Every structure is written in C-alpha cells, then in structure tokens.
Amino acid sequence: MTHIRPRRSALFMPASNARAVEKARTLDCDVVILDLEDAVAPEHKASARDAAVAAVREGGFGHRELVVRANAVDTAWGMDDLAVLNGSGAAAVLLPKVSDAATLRTARAALGEGPELWAMIETCRAVVDLPVIAAAAADTALTTFVVGTNDLAKEMRCRPGASRAPLLPILTQVVLVARMAGLVALDGVINVLDDEDAIEAECRQGLEWGFDGKTLIHPAQIAPANRVFTPSADQVDWARKVVAAFDAAEHAGKGAIRVDGKMVELLHLEEAQRTLAIAELVGR
C-alpha cells in the first residue's frame, strides 16, 4: 500500500499575514497552505513570497503538512515564486490554473527535485484534459488534485448553490481521474463561515463523492472537516475485522471470504487497511 497521510482539512492562510501564519502553527488542520495567490494583493506579492519561505524554513508546524500555493506560472510572479521555493523545504507547491501538462513540466523544471506538485483544477480546459494532466504525474511528481470550485463556477457561469449540482459531474470526474492515476483528491472550498451545519453538509458531500479531504478558508471550518473525514468508530471496528479475517491462517491465499455474514474481497482489505492507517494517524 502506498504512503498514506491524513489530508482531511487543508487550510489556506495568506502568507502576507504574519499573525495568520503564526496561528496556523497551532490549529488542528492536517495541511497548511501558505497562499501567495488569491489571498495576496499584487503590491504585496514579493513580501509575501519572502514571508512564506521564511515561515517554511523556521518550521514549527508540527504534524501539519506544509504547502505553498504559488502564483500561476504565466503571471508576473509565478516563476519567481518557484525559484525561491526550490529547496525551501516545503512539502509541496500548489500550482493554480493548471490547464495542461506543460504547466506541470515548467514548474517541475523550476523546482528541481524538491517539493511535490499539487494542481488546482479550476478551468474548463483542465477538466476536459484531466487524463492528460494526470498522465504527467510520473515525471513531474504531481501527487494531488485540488478542485477550485469558485473559479470553475465563474468560468462556467454556473450557479452551484448549496447542492453544487452544476459541479457534481466535474467533482466525479476529478475523483475518477485521480484514482486512475493514484493521486490524492481534495474538494474545493466552501465560502460559508458561520453555519457549521452547512459546512459539515458540504464536507459530507465531498466524502460521499470520494474526496480525501476538503480545502478550507477559515479556522472555523476545520472541526467540521476533521469530523467528517475521520473514520467513525464503527468503520474502524469493521476494518479491524476485515484485516483480522484475511490474516487468519484458514483464509491464506483467498481472494474472497465471509466476515459477519458479508462477502469481502481483497479490494475491501485494501480499503480497510487505509481506514486503519488514517485512524491511527489521527488518533482514532
């Protein structure tokens, strides 16, 4: 089984805001994304870049995976962002507006062999060319798709509403291609800040659609995301039963067995192992 780590909650924090960056070191999110793009005004891009690199090198984020979202490579700041992030120690660089494989290869060349690449899927062209983008994962160290639902809705001129109905086919496609390529898939942000029920409902929708976690824009969204994407006690108990059953001597070499009156196959074993790994990592 490939390396697993929890990414239930991935919080965007503006790299230009020193207080926000310091607070991020104490929050219960799985991923901190220091943002150089949407959250930073043009006149502060250079100073935000310096602040992000300084924060990465200073560390202190504990168990949190540390990612920096650069500006798009075709902007005035993108290539300078990548140049300083090369060797910075960030776990990954999140690229916005990835619409083709060439963007990934340009970024990989600028970053050297350092951080992983995460790709924002937030344009119509990206959705259409998802398989081509995913096929570049092997030679670009692309590991993660992040859906940019706000930008997608803007470009499509659709009105998602609480149900996100116009976007659901795209969310399905992102997860489908991610799984085909062995990538992580993170759901887009929700703009609601003060309605925990609504936040939890959208997180649950993302879970049901197959996402590994959700990107967030405010600390108040962390608890609902963690709650939804953490395996429940019942799920953990069932996973333990499945693993134990396949480990039993009488089931050695079998591809399908009975567990509590249900037919269980090797594909269920793999999912059970993943459930137990996530549960252990989050202290369930």
Side-chain angles (χ1 to χ4, degrees):
M1 188 165 48
T2 57
H3 175 68
I4 293 173
R5 67 176 300 159
R7 295 183 175 97
R8 303 166 298 171
S9 48
L11 178 66
F12 284 103
M13 294 294 255
S16 56
N17 186 328
R19 290 181 62 186
V21 173
E22 187 59 32
K23 185 174 183 179
R25 292 182 167 96
T26 69
L27 297 172
D28 193 27
C29 52
D30 292 330
V31 183
V32 172
I33 305 174
L34 300 179
D35 193 12
L36 303 180
E37 196 213 12
D38 286 346
V40 180
E43 63 269 24
H44 299 306
K45 295 286 190 182
S47 59
R49 179 190 305 136
D50 293 341
V53 172
V56 172
R57 290 178 176 164
E58 182 181 347
F61 290 88
H63 69 278
R64 300 159 195 85
E65 191 172 12
L66 190 55
V67 178
V68 179
R69 177 162 69 171
N71 289 282
V73 297
D74 60 354
T75 66
W77 314 281
M79 295 306 295
D80 288 339
D81 290 346
L82 297 178
V84 300
L85 291 170
N86 181 351
S88 67
V93 171
L94 175 57
L95 293 177
K97 306 297 190 296
V98 175
S99 294
D100 52 40
T103 299
L104 296 176
R105 295 193 172 96
T106 296
R108 184 77 274 157
L111 287 168
E113 298 182 357
E116 297 175 358
L117 282 178
W118 292 16
M120 295 286 304
I121 305 303
E122 53 187 346
T123 68
C124 295
R125 181 179 173 187
V127 174
V128 172
D129 288 344
L130 266 178
V132 176
I133 294 170
D139 61 311
T140 61
L142 171 70
T143 66
T144 303
F145 281 157
V146 178
V147 186
T149 42
N150 284 336
D151 282 273
L152 269 172
K154 177 183 176 183
E155 188 168 317
M156 293 170 62
R157 300 180 199 154
C158 69
R159 301 177 183 180
S163 72
R164 300 200 292 177
L167 297 175
L168 293 182
I170 292 173
L171 300 182
T172 299
Q173 188 173 353
V174 170
V175 173
L176 183 70
V177 175
R179 299 298 172 245
M180 176 187 74
L183 305 179
V184 173
L186 298 182
D187 196 2
V189 302
I190 180 171
N191 300 321
V192 175
L193 302 180
D194 56 0
D195 186 340
E196 188 162 317
D197 289 342
I199 296 167
E200 183 163 338
E202 189 165 299
C203 289
R204 191 158 302 283
Q205 184 190 51
L207 175 70
E208 291 170 352
W209 247 247
F211 284 98
D212 296 291
K214 190 163 184 67
T215 48
L216 312 171
I217 57 173
H218 193 276
Q221 299 173 333
I222 296 172
N226 284 349
R227 189 160 56 244
V228 168
F229 285 97
T230 297
S232 69
D234 288 345
Q235 289 171 328
V236 172
D237 289 343
W238 172 249
R240 286 176 177 149
K241 287 182 179 180
V242 171
V243 171
F246 273 102
D247 284 344
E250 64 267 27
H251 295 146
K254 292 184 177 181
I257 61 176
R258 286 171 62 92
V259 179
D260 288 356
K262 297 179 180 180
M263 184 61 69
V264 178
E265 302 178 14
L266 289 175
L267 63 92
H268 300 112
L269 173 61
E270 183 178 345
E271 182 58 26
Q273 291 169 332
R274 181 182 182 280
T275 295
L276 293 180
I278 293 291
E280 181 178 357
L281 288 166
V282 301
R284 165 61 76 180

